Amino acid sequence: MIYQRYIPAHELFSAQLELLMQNGQLPTVAAHLIGVAAALAMFWPFLDPTAMLLWAGAFLALLLLRSLHMSRALSSHAYRIAPRWVYAWLVLGSAATGTIWSAVYIYAAHHVPITMQYTFLLLILMITAISVGFSVILREYFIVYLFTAIWPIAWWSLANYWEQPYNLVLGLVLLAFCALLVVICDRMYRSFRNMISLNWEREAMSRELGELTHSLRERNRQLRDARQQLTCLANIDELTGLGNRRMANSALNDEINRARRTGACLSLVMLDVDCFKAYNDTYGHPAGDRVLQRLADLMQRATTRAGELVARFGGEEFILILPGACAETALRTAERLRQLVEEEAIPHAGSPQFGVITVSQGLLTLEPGTDAQPGELVSRADQALYRAKQLGRNRVVVAGPSPSADIGAAPPG
Ligand SMILES: Nc1nc2c(ncn2[C@@H]2O[C@H](COP(=O)(O)OP(=O)(O)OP(=O)(O)O)[C@@H](O)[C@H]2O)c(=O)[nH]1
């Protein structure tokens, strides 16, 4: 469809019909009404008034029918559904009105003065000239009118050349007039058709462009979604739904830079499940997985402040990044988490000291104005965690300036 640039013949025909009816409906009725009124005024003294009124009534009824036909065809879109049928009726109406005018002229020629007769002819020619303006959209439609309204008068004039002095000349002039109008009408018809085709092509192209833009937008959206999904997959730990090590590293980097810029504190907690190997050995690996998921929930409950992030750093080790938290606040958070885990009371027969799942944590705070690399911070927090394990597990150890200065903040209760 996108490569089609020429209007199909049936669509061109329907468009011509539509244009003809839209533009021609009013001028047709108006021109013929003026013609009827003028004919009545001119012939009233010479012809039988009753016959004239009957004629005018019949003509008006015909005009009304034509107008109704056009309105119905336009509103029901019949010109698209059954264009041939609509066209046939239009041509029939055109032939009927043309025939009426020529018949009236020929009849009046025997009953009215010659000046009146020629004035009437001028009137018919004027109506024809008005018609040419819009009815050439469909060449044949106009030609039918021309050959029913003017052509018979021309031949009648030639056939009766002896009756009136100018009949011969008039007949020849009218024949020439018909020929001229046919040529003009053909030219106009071609330009109208080109205009419709061009219009159609422009509309088709802008429609295609619209569809193309729409599908490109849709494609972009899909790509954006896919990218988001990929980013998500690349940063999320499948088991716990927390961020993974990759996300943690990137967040830590960002937070160190932010802390450096704003001069705020930044704390970091490394957390490890105690005696987890024993748990796996006792309860099985799937049960161990479920414990990790429950712990992930607890860690999220303990870190609700804006900007705080929990990630799975690897295996059964987790990291908590606490932007803006100085040592005291961070210790409170870590301790609350330790208690939450303890209170969760997940049975752990393999934990000789506690009998439930516990966690050890190493906490490190980056004081304002201190510079450090992410790896260095993680390593120092890890050392504090190692100390927590050494000191008996289930506790938080705050990293000091050196490993020997680490502070075991929360002895097991
Ligand atoms: N179920 C489960 N176990 C895991 C996962 N990742 C690591 N582990 C287990 O975690 C255990 C870690 O054991 P260790 O490093 O020896 O430490 P631990 O037994 O926790 O002892 P401490 O750390 O000294 O208290 C190993 O048995 C791993 O198999 C996991 O995704 N699911």
Side-chain angles (χ1 to χ4, degrees):
M1 182 201 166
I2 198 152
Y3 299 109
Q4 185 185 345
R5 287 287 179 273
Y6 297 106
I7 183 167
H10 68 277
E11 276 198 39
L12 175 63
F13 186 57
S14 300
Q16 285 173 282
L17 270 179
E18 186 187 8
L19 212 61
L20 171 75
M21 292 188 290
Q22 269 172 356
N23 295 333
Q25 197 174 8
L26 211 69
T28 311
V29 174
H32 289 299
L33 273 181
I34 293 169
V36 171
L40 281 178
M42 281 190 298
F43 298 154
W44 194 260
F46 309 103
L47 301 178
D48 174 23
T50 317
M52 280 178 68
L53 285 176
L54 278 174
W55 166 78
F59 201 172
L60 290 180
L62 177 68
L63 288 178
L64 191 70
L65 278 177
R66 280 183 67 181
S67 187
L68 276 177
H69 169 64
M70 289 189 192
S71 298
R72 267 189 46 200
L74 277 173
S75 61
S76 65
H77 294 110
Y79 59 92
R80 277 203 208 121
I81 304 157
R84 295 280 150 202
W85 182 85
V86 172
Y87 182 55
W89 279 104
L90 283 177
V91 168
L92 200 70
S94 173
T97 39
T99 309
I100 287 174
W101 286 123
S102 54
V104 170
Y105 175 84
I106 292 166
Y107 176 79
H110 296 111
H111 299 87
V112 301
I114 196 155
T115 46
M116 210 57 87
Q117 178 191 332
Y118 289 153
T119 313
F120 185 59
L121 182 59
L122 275 177
L123 187 75
I124 296 174
L125 291 176
M126 187 199 76
I127 294 172
T128 310
I130 292 174
S131 307
V132 81
F134 55 85
S135 57
V136 289
I137 299 164
L138 266 173
R139 184 178 44 191
E140 293 74 14
Y141 173 80
F142 175 72
I143 288 174
V144 163
Y145 179 77
L146 186 69
F147 277 73
T148 49
I150 312 292
W151 189 255
I153 297 176
W155 285 111
W156 178 86
S157 303
L158 289 176
N160 298 284
Y161 67 92
W162 68 88
E163 273 189 18
Q164 284 158 358
Y166 300 113
N167 266 2
L168 185 62
V169 180
L170 190 70
L172 290 173
V173 167
L174 286 180
L175 281 182
F177 181 71
C178 283
L180 185 72
L181 276 187
V182 167
V183 173
I184 292 173
C185 151
D186 187 58
R187 292 254 169 101
M188 285 172 78
Y189 169 76
R190 281 172 203 282
S191 14
F192 263 118
R193 228 171 49 159
N194 283 346
M195 191 191 73
I196 294 172
S197 298
L198 281 173
N199 214 26
W200 185 90
E201 280 168 34
R202 210 194 59 215
E203 275 174 17
M205 281 172 82
S206 72
R207 212 173 31 242
E208 286 162 15
L209 206 68
E211 281 166 16
L212 216 69
T213 315
H214 178 74
S215 77
L216 274 177
R217 277 212 195 102
E218 183 59 21
R219 245 328 191 333
N220 268 348
R221 197 189 56 74
Q222 284 172 355
L223 277 173
R224 206 172 47 238
D225 287 356
R227 207 172 50 226
Q228 267 173 3
Q229 234 172 339
L230 277 176
T231 314
C232 218
L233 285 174
N235 288 312
I236 298 294
D237 171 56
E238 204 185 348
L239 177 70
T240 59
L242 296 176
N244 59 14
R245 189 185 192 124
R246 180 190 158 97
M247 183 195 260
N249 281 334
S250 142
L252 188 57
N253 210 22
D254 292 348
E255 292 305 337
I256 290 173
N257 288 334
R258 199 198 310 271
R260 198 178 294 143
R261 273 199 319 273
T262 59
C265 292
L266 171 67
S267 289
L268 178 68
V269 176
M270 294 303 290
L271 178 150
D272 189 278
V273 189
D274 296 329
C275 307
F276 199 50
K277 183 177 178 322
Y279 189 90
N280 273 336
D281 293 346
T282 313
Y283 299 95
H285 212 268
D289 282 352
R290 285 194 292 279
V291 167
L292 293 179
Q293 287 167 334
R294 282 171 75 178
L295 290 179
D297 288 346
L298 293 178
M299 281 181 255
Q300 281 182 315
R301 264 167 57 190
T303 50
T304 48
R305 283 170 52 178
E308 291 183 339
L309 179 102
V310 184
R312 188 178 177 196
F313 210 62
E316 83 309 6
E317 196 175 13
F318 295 86
I319 184 170
L320 280 69
I321 300 170
L322 311 172
C326 291
E328 204 179 318
T329 318
L331 184 59
R332 263 206 308 276
T333 304
E335 177 54 21
R336 194 170 68 246
L337 177 57
R338 190 194 66 75
Q339 280 173 2
L340 275 175
V341 174
E342 209 174 40
E343 283 161 19
E344 191 77 359
I346 304 167
H348 185 355
S351 170
Q353 257 177 299
F354 309 107
V356 291
I357 287 282
T358 55
V359 290
S360 297
Q361 300 170 72
L363 190 160
L364 174 108
T365 299
L366 184 69
E367 295 300 335
T370 325
D371 210 6
Q373 293 304 310
E376 191 189 324
L377 292 186
V378 170
S379 148
R380 284 180 58 202
D382 235 358
Q383 283 166 20
L385 171 62
Y386 180 70
R387 290 276 298 144
K389 294 274 183 187
Q390 278 183 332
L391 290 171
R393 301 187 176 84
N394 191 22
R395 69 190 59 222
V396 182
V397 167
V398 180
S402 67
S404 57
D406 291 349
I407 307 156

